[in-house]
Structure formats: C-alpha cells, structure tokens
Amino acid sequence: MARFVRKGHQAAANAVVPLPVRDGVAPSYLWITETRTGGMLAFLEERFPAIAGPSWTERLARGDVVDAQGAPLSADSHVRQGMRIWYYRELEHETTIPFEEGIIFQDEHLLVVDKPHFLPMIPTGRFLRETLLVRLKQKFDLPHLTPIHRLDRETAGVVIFSHNLATRGTYQSMFQKRSIRKVYEALAPVLHGREFPFTYRSRMVDGDKFFVMREEEGEPNSETFVELLETRGDVARYRLHPHTGRKHQLRLHMASLGVPILNDAFYPVALPCKGDDFSAPLQLLARSIAFEDPLTGQARSFDSGRVLDWPA
C-alpha cells in the first residue's frame, strides 16, 4: 500500500492551494510517499474505505480531486511518489448544532467570538460545516481565518481567531509565551477541606483512551489557580485561572480534586457518547481573555456574554 502524509483542513493555509475555499470549507491534501499501481480511484477507495459522503468516483468526475498544479485527476491517474493531491472533505449527513455563536470584536487582524456549547472549533470526525471555523468563513468571507487557540467542543466562551497572515504569528506567540490572561468559570460540587483561593498542580499525560488525559507521579506540568465565587446548596461556582494550557486541564484538575465539573462526560470516567443529545451542556465557560496587544501595546480584554446553568 502507498504510504502518505495527510494534512487536514488547516494545513493548507501555508501551502500554494490549487482549490479555493468552498462554502467555508478549505481543501485538504495528501502527500504520497510511495509509487503504486492500480490508479487513483483504487488508491482513494483503499485509503478511505468507510468514507461518509459522495463516492470517489463522483468526486473525480466532478474535478474535485486535483494535483498540486490544480489539474483534475481521473480514476486511472497514476499514483506516484512525491505527489500532493488535493480534495474537499465531504459528509453526506451532518447533525445541525442548534446554537449560534456571537461576535465580540473584529478588526483587520482578529475576530473574537463567543462560542456556544457543543459546537466544534474545526472540522473533525462527524463535523464539517457545523463547526465554528466553517460557519465564520461562510458568514464573513475570510479565507485565511484560523483559531489561534482552541476550546473543547463541550466548552463555551471566548475564543480568538486570526484572519491576517502577516500578523498571525505575532498573536500566536502570546499563547506560546503565556502572556495571555485567561479566566474560566465552572459549576461543580462544593469542595470541602480547602482554603480558597489555592493553586493545584499535577503532571498530566495522555490517557489510555486517545481523547482523555490522566495524572501521574512526577514533575508537575500543569497549574490552575482556583477561586470560590458562590455556593447554592451542594453546587458551587468557581473561577479558574489556567497558568498552563494542557488539553482538558481544567476538567481533569477539578475531577482530581473530587469535584468534577457538572455534566462532564469524560472525567472522572469517560461515559458512552451522547451523540446528538444537547440537553446537558458541560458547565464550563471561558469567561474572559485579556492581553497587551503585541502590535500596539494597548490593553485588551474580551468577555463572554453567556452564563452557566445552575441545576434546579
């Protein structure tokens, strides 16, 4: 079988792209690293045996699979080492996410968005057009739009996008240097036996399942500052300041403290997928982001207008 390197929706941003953004969807591409016989159709069908969408026969016939120069490929086109082929990811059926994003701010560099729960950031798995990135590209006609940080699909709140290639690296460096001040809020059971505020540190590593993290002994690589804002019965509202940006950091830290965030389907135990059930959103909100603008030195702060849902 031919080996290849696959690049996703965003990887095309730094390449010469022979296909345009279509309905907000940027093309993806494959690098083929081994010559093989049998033709392009056989290769694509072998590589994507469970493709969800129009068949490769149909896509090739439409001219939606091209080489690096933009020349349409056919079913019997050669598969050669060093080729880069471009195509659009397509889904035949996609669940509608019935929640709308809000726009907080826009200038010639940034687009700041108030993301709803359940909406994925970028195309992945069973989501393509029902993602924040594709929705925004469609609405604002911003072909170079890219998130400069991420929120989980289950998390709501403030997220920042860049749409200017010339200044993207400058804004991305703020997150690499940890000069961004991010504040989250969460609803979780009342934590007893601790004096607030306090700092929680742990060593986080990949879990046994690819989609979760776990803690282990060793040098801490994650840190969260925890404040208690209010309590109502057995539930409390916490303000969380992540000083590091590990995957699922806040969710894992709260679960490790014995107070998992309400409606968390991953921690402390990964539950069966809820599919299209939107009835119990994770009670975690990216409340605000603040920073000094690296271009102007101006202090900037953006806040979410969303609120968490206290249990009845």
Side-chain angles (χ1 to χ4, degrees):
M1 178 184 294
R3 295 191 304 272
F4 60 89
V5 178
R6 179 181 180 181
K7 299 296 183 181
H9 193 273
Q10 284 305 102
N14 296 322
V16 177
V17 183
L19 290 174
V21 173
R22 186 172 69 183
D23 297 328
V25 178
S28 299
Y29 64 85
L30 299 176
W31 276 111
I32 298 174
T33 60
E34 183 177 303
T35 298
R36 60 163 292 169
T37 60
M40 188 60 63
L41 176 60
F43 167 71
L44 291 170
E45 289 180 337
E46 184 177 309
R47 168 65 189 95
F48 302 98
I51 189 166
S55 70
W56 286 112
T57 300
E58 181 179 341
R59 296 186 194 194
L60 288 163
R62 291 200 311 248
D64 282 347
V65 184
V66 304
D67 65 15
Q69 289 70 48
L73 298 171
S74 62
D76 57 358
S77 292
H78 295 300
V79 179
R80 299 185 302 274
Q81 180 181 8
M83 286 183 69
R84 180 162 59 183
I85 63 173
W86 295 78
Y87 64 96
Y88 292 104
R89 184 165 175 259
E90 298 183 36
L91 294 178
E92 190 170 7
H93 303 289
E94 185 174 1
T95 299
T96 299
I97 307 299
F99 307 106
E100 290 296 320
E101 64 280 1
I103 304 303
I104 299 174
F105 173 82
Q106 182 179 6
D107 66 7
E108 65 270 30
H109 306 285
L110 302 177
L111 181 64
V112 185
V113 183
D114 203 352
K115 174 185 149 347
H117 291 103
F118 299 110
L119 185 65
M121 288 285 299
I122 63 173
T124 182
R126 61 192 182 95
F127 296 102
L128 179 63
R129 288 183 170 79
E130 286 298 292
T131 60
L132 185 57
L133 178 62
V134 173
R135 282 186 179 185
L136 294 172
K137 282 187 173 183
Q138 287 179 314
K139 291 179 180 179
F140 293 95
D141 190 25
L142 297 172
H144 301 300
L145 191 70
T146 299
I148 58 175
H149 66 114
R150 303 286 179 87
L151 293 180
D152 299 337
R153 177 186 174 228
E154 296 84 2
T155 304
V158 182
V159 63
I160 300 176
F161 289 78
S162 161
H163 62 89
N164 187 324
L165 290 173
T167 59
R168 177 172 301 159
T170 302
Y171 284 103
Q172 286 176 327
S173 68
M174 296 189 302
F175 289 86
Q176 297 163 357
K177 297 174 183 176
R178 299 180 184 174
S179 58
I180 292 278
R181 298 178 294 281
K182 295 186 287 186
V183 177
Y184 289 72
E185 290 182 10
L187 297 182
V190 174
L191 176 59
H192 300 284
R194 288 269 188 170
E195 290 190 6
F196 291 90
F198 67 90
T199 297
Y200 181 84
R201 300 179 181 90
S202 72
R203 181 169 186 80
M204 293 179 56
V205 296
D206 292 335
D208 297 333
K209 299 181 177 66
F210 74 91
F211 53 86
V212 295
M213 304 291 285
R214 63 179 177 86
E215 293 179 340
E216 68 174 18
E217 296 295 327
E219 181 75 18
N221 60 7
S222 60
E223 179 179 315
T224 301
F225 186 69
V226 183
E227 296 180 274
L228 176 64
L229 296 179
E230 62 175 312
T231 62
R232 299 184 192 180
D234 296 331
V235 176
R237 182 165 65 98
Y238 299 91
R239 181 182 291 137
L240 307 174
H241 304 258
H243 292 168
T244 51
R246 298 285 172 179
K247 174 184 174 181
H248 293 177
Q249 177 176 316
L250 301 181
R251 299 168 69 172
L252 179 57
H253 279 185
M254 294 297 284
S256 298
L257 287 166
V259 286
I261 297 172
L262 297 189
N263 302 331
D264 196 334
F266 286 3
Y267 302 96
V269 176
L271 303 176
C273 178
K274 296 189 295 183
D276 300 332
D277 181 1
F278 303 119
S279 62
L282 177 71
Q283 293 305 297
L284 179 61
L285 175 67
R287 168 58 67 196
S288 67
I289 290 181
F291 57 91
E292 288 187 5
D293 192 294
L295 298 181
T296 66
Q298 175 187 359
R300 287 189 163 183
S301 180
F302 303 107
D303 295 274
S304 171
R306 302 182 188 275
V307 296
L308 296 172
D309 300 324
W310 288 87

